[in-house]
Amino acid sequence: MADTGDVFEALEAMVDTSRAEIVLVGYPFLSIDTEDYYLDRFADRTAPIIVDYYDAAGGVRAAGAAANQKQRELVADWNRDHQLKVTYVDGVSDRFAGHEPDPSALRRNEFRWLNEFLETEGIQVGDRPTQSKGSRTSNEWYHPNITGHEQIAEQVKSTLGVPRQARGGIWGAGAVDIVFVVDMGYGYPPGGWQNIDEVVDRYARTADGRRRSARFGVVEFRGFDHTLGDMDEGRAPTEGSVALDFTYSAELAGGVLDGLDPSDGGRIYWEPSTHTGLMTALGMNWRSGVRKVVLLLTTEDLDPREAFSDYDLAALQREALRVDPVEIYGIDLGALDCDEMRQLAQGTNGLVLDGTDGKLAEAVDQAIAAALDNPLAWIQGPYVVKSGEELTLDAGGSYSPYGGITAYEWDFEGDGIWDQTTDSWTVTHRFDEEFDGVVGVRVTDARGRRAIGSTQLLVTDDGDSAARDVDNCPDVYNWGQEDSDGDGVGDECDATPGAAIWEPADDGAVFTKAQVEALTQTGSPSNPEPSAPVGPEPSIAPSGSQGDGSREPSAPAAVPSAGATGVVSASQSSSPAPAGSRASGQDGSPGPSGADGPVSAGPLPLTGALSPGWLPASVAASLIFGALLVVFRRRRARQGLMGG
């Protein structure tokens, strides 16, 4: 488990160890508990006599149990020597008992909580079989499906309860990122910073004196200098600069604000760069899942468009929404209380507050308090969807500590226009045009207070995120862009995708592509050496990856020995998908051979190079004879007449 330890050490170097926690979650077994799955070995291809077999399903489960035990030991050893503690969430394999994958590529566990071979997005509800979509993207196989992720979350919840950061109400505690955007074109702010450092310090702590999860940053901007050239020739901008990157130190933030060195006037030679200053702040490294606040401090008004950068109010609002989102508050020190600033504040759920006549600290106090008092809006995502398809948006994680959410307003184009209002936290919408941007939700609680949440949305012509000019299957969903034979055509749309994509024969025999070609040409294998394992490619972490460089088998694999061919001992499932269900294929959508159609909960169709009728008669007869011996051997084993 050395690699997992390296990850712990990297995290320890990055975080405040007095407040951070690490949670390591165990993994389910990648095979059901069955005695009906073996890998058999022939003594000779021309005389298919079974000489040995291996309990592959049992071996996969044993490897999973050993990996989980290694994780327990690693966590115990780590916690003895480190301040940053790790909690291990055990029992995942027990929770998944009976819902693991069937090890055979010819059938599926009807109630699986992990995606099996050639599928993705499985959902299993109640006592109904799992329904899923077909996928030839190997990175999606043998990972927890949608229901599996829900079950892992339940296991984490049952182990940890409410996380420490949320005890007492995370929203009341006020996890927040705050950036001051300060116009330095004149001697700002008029009257000095007053007691702004006290305000900053107050919001670094909760009412009972506990440290709040609050970070502070400072951006300064001055403007564009007319003396550097004519408008037509272009002018070098004095862009916004980050005077202080995010810090948890209120003392440091207060000191930086107090130490800012404004220019001594001369704005006659300058053009305001307020939009650029705001864009600089929006581009900082904001945290996910916390409130985000920009406080704009200036005596100037806000232009509809910034001449040099060409940023306008719509661009500022789109960028604030993209960040998930940032609420922009205007602290008026002279002329900022204008229509444009009010429009920007309203579009980002902020306010314009009066900071003139010595009220700067009071206005900053009011802005931060208002942000922390709002409900919290959250929308699931990000999403990638095919144009013309419907998508259900989910804002069920939105929350108000002062009463329930009473209304959900939806922005389907990320333009700040609320297209639909519902009293439900979900809405279904069809996206007909290609789109790359954000969708948003605005929630209103029982007090009438509002908050905005957003997520990224990509609508493409084929439903994946690869640009058409580089997509190796431009008309087919092909998220992983796999190209096993390296011919430039992705496996999803390649009629001959190569050795990494294989399909089982009628009797369950498994060959490499090279072996099949050799058998059909000469009747004997082309190479006397043991062939590479055949089966689904190992999935990328977290599926099977335990952090030590080793990997649990992502599927039982047949490993033919010298001159031998593996035969899967597996019977077909006798439980077809319910009639009329998505799995039954009666909705007219493509089945498992398609990239995104619903697939059956039962046996897979037999297609491709090893389908019935493809092999020469002599080879087919040999395979059939071998399959009969397999059945005979299994029957004898069940009767206790044959040893293991």
Side-chain angles (χ1 to χ4, degrees):
M1 307 306 290
D3 287 354
T4 304
D6 292 343
V7 172
F8 290 170
E9 290 179 357
L11 290 173
E12 188 175 40
M14 294 167 55
V15 301
D16 181 348
T17 58
S18 66
R19 297 186 297 167
E21 295 178 88
I22 296 177
V23 177
L24 178 65
V25 183
Y27 210 72
F29 297 150
L30 297 181
S31 171
I32 55 174
D33 188 6
T34 176
E35 298 180 356
D36 291 337
Y37 187 84
Y38 303 93
L39 297 179
D40 299 316
R41 188 170 67 187
F42 292 156
D44 186 87
R45 288 186 185 278
T46 59
I49 305 299
I50 297 171
V51 297
D52 195 10
Y53 67 95
Y54 172 66
D55 180 6
V60 168
R61 292 176 63 85
N68 287 339
Q69 179 58 31
K70 284 288 188 181
Q71 288 187 326
R72 297 185 194 100
E73 295 171 358
L74 172 65
V75 170
D77 291 343
W78 174 273
N79 287 339
R80 279 194 295 268
D81 302 325
H82 295 266
Q83 180 182 1
L84 179 63
K85 302 303 180 185
V86 179
T87 299
Y88 181 64
V89 176
D90 210 342
V92 173
S93 56
D94 294 334
R95 178 178 284 270
F96 274 67
H99 299 279
E100 306 96 337
D102 190 301
S104 172
L106 295 175
R107 63 187 183 193
R108 290 194 169 114
N109 179 357
E110 287 190 312
F111 303 99
R112 58 199 176 276
W113 291 349
L114 292 95
N115 294 319
E116 293 197 19
F117 186 47
L118 295 177
E119 72 166 349
T120 187
E121 297 184 28
I123 300 177
Q124 193 265 315
V125 180
D127 58 357
R128 288 177 288 176
T130 298
Q131 305 298 314
S132 65
K133 292 183 179 180
S135 172
R136 294 178 71 176
T137 301
S138 59
N139 289 342
E140 297 178 333
W141 308 338
Y142 302 99
H143 289 290
N145 60 23
I146 294 173
T147 302
H149 281 290
E150 293 172 349
Q151 293 296 324
I152 289 175
E154 287 296 322
Q155 189 69 17
V156 172
K157 180 180 176 182
S158 66
T159 301
L160 298 180
V162 180
R164 183 181 69 186
Q165 292 89 336
R167 292 167 194 163
I170 186 170
W171 319 131
V176 61
D177 283 353
I178 302 168
V179 175
F180 293 84
V181 179
V182 184
D183 186 346
M184 302 299 291
Y186 283 121
Y188 298 145
W193 286 105
Q194 305 161 30
N195 58 339
I196 190 71
D197 55 341
E198 296 178 9
V199 176
V200 172
D201 184 67
R202 180 162 66 252
Y203 283 101
R205 301 183 182 276
T206 59
D208 59 3
R210 292 182 294 118
R211 287 184 61 86
R212 187 193 306 270
S213 182
R215 300 193 310 170
F216 306 92
V218 179
V219 168
E220 59 175 331
F221 66 95
R222 296 178 184 271
F224 301 128
D225 190 347
H226 282 268
T227 64
L228 297 179
D230 295 333
M231 175 69 76
D232 294 339
E233 299 174 359
R235 302 192 302 269
T238 304
E239 296 184 357
S241 60
V242 178
L244 176 66
D245 207 347
F246 281 118
T247 177
Y248 287 100
S249 172
E251 296 78 12
L252 180 59
V256 169
L257 286 171
D258 191 52
L260 289 178
D261 183 20
S263 67
D264 57 0
R267 182 60 75 94
I268 189 173
Y269 299 110
W270 296 74
E271 183 175 327
S273 58
T274 312
H275 297 64
T276 297
L278 289 170
M279 279 294 194
T280 300
L282 294 174
M284 294 175 66
N285 187 25
W286 300 83
R287 289 180 293 173
S288 176
V290 305
R291 302 175 191 277
K292 304 172 182 66
V293 177
V294 159
L295 303 173
L296 173 61
L297 284 68
T298 180
T299 63
E300 301 297 308
D301 60 4
L302 185 65
D303 292 333
R305 181 184 300 273
E306 188 173 82
F308 185 86
S309 68
D310 209 31
Y311 293 137
D312 59 10
L313 298 181
L316 291 172
Q317 185 169 332
R318 284 195 302 270
E319 184 64 10
L321 192 63
R322 185 195 65 79
V323 181
D324 182 33
V326 174
E327 297 181 358
I328 300 178
Y329 291 79
I331 308 299
D332 177 25
L333 302 178
L336 188 58
D337 189 7
C338 58
D339 290 342
E340 290 78 9
M341 185 63 234
R342 286 191 292 270
Q343 177 184 335
L344 179 61
Q346 181 179 7
T348 62
N349 204 53
L351 297 169
V352 181
L353 299 164
D354 183 12
T356 62
D357 300 327
K359 296 192 290 287
L360 169 61
E362 179 183 346
V364 170
D365 193 355
Q366 291 174 349
I368 300 175
L372 295 178
D373 194 47
N374 286 335
L376 187 133
W378 175 91
I379 183 171
Q380 183 174 312
Y383 295 99
V384 179
V385 66
K386 184 177 180 178
S387 58
E389 291 187 350
E390 290 187 338
L391 174 67
T392 297
L393 302 173
D394 185 340
S398 303
Y399 175 78
S400 172
Y402 305 106
I405 303 298
T406 60
Y408 299 81
E409 299 170 87
W410 306 91
D411 175 4
F412 300 127
E413 299 176 359
D415 57 3
I417 299 174
W418 304 105
D419 304 299
Q420 185 175 346
T421 301
T422 66
D423 56 8
S424 169
W425 58 78
T426 63
V427 69
T428 300
H429 181 75
R430 190 176 73 185
F431 293 88
D432 291 322
E433 304 294 332
E434 294 185 32
F435 176 75
D436 185 2
V438 299
V439 291
V441 64
R442 182 168 68 178
V443 302
T444 305
D445 67 12
R447 305 168 301 157
R449 300 296 293 269
R450 289 173 169 170
I452 297 174
S454 63
T455 191
Q456 294 291 127
L457 171 66
L458 179 63
V459 183
T460 66
D461 57 352
D462 63 352
D464 64 43
S465 58
R468 190 171 184 84
D469 59 344
V470 297
D471 194 338
N472 59 24
C473 283
D475 298 314
V476 178
Y477 172 79
N478 185 29
W479 175 80
Q481 296 291 295
E482 283 89 349
D483 180 12
S484 301
D485 55 12
D487 63 354
V489 180
D491 294 339
E492 290 288 352
C493 55
D494 193 344
T496 56
I501 298 296
W502 59 272
E503 297 177 3
D506 186 25
D507 51 21
V510 178
F511 297 85
T512 65
K513 192 177 184 70
Q515 288 173 330
V516 171
E517 292 172 349
L519 280 170
T520 57
Q521 294 170 7
T522 66
S524 60
S526 60
N527 58 320
E529 298 299 324
S531 62
V534 182
E537 295 176 320
S539 299
I540 292 177
S543 179
S545 176
Q546 300 298 333
D548 61 345
S550 66
R551 187 184 299 275
E552 294 182 63
S554 50
V559 188
S561 61
T565 299
V567 175
V568 177
S569 302
S571 60
Q572 295 286 341
S573 168
S574 60
S575 303
S581 69
R582 289 186 62 189
S584 69
Q586 296 187 19
D587 61 355
S589 54
S593 60
D596 52 9
V599 302
S600 169
L604 293 172
L606 303 174
T607 59
L610 290 175
S611 58
W614 188 87
L615 293 177
S618 60
V619 178
S622 177
L623 293 175
I624 292 171
F625 178 59
L628 291 175
L629 288 177
V630 169
V631 173
F632 175 70
R633 195 269 303 165
R634 291 180 62 197
R635 288 178 178 173
R636 292 187 62 198
R638 289 173 179 170
Q639 297 170 359
L641 299 178
M642 183 175 182

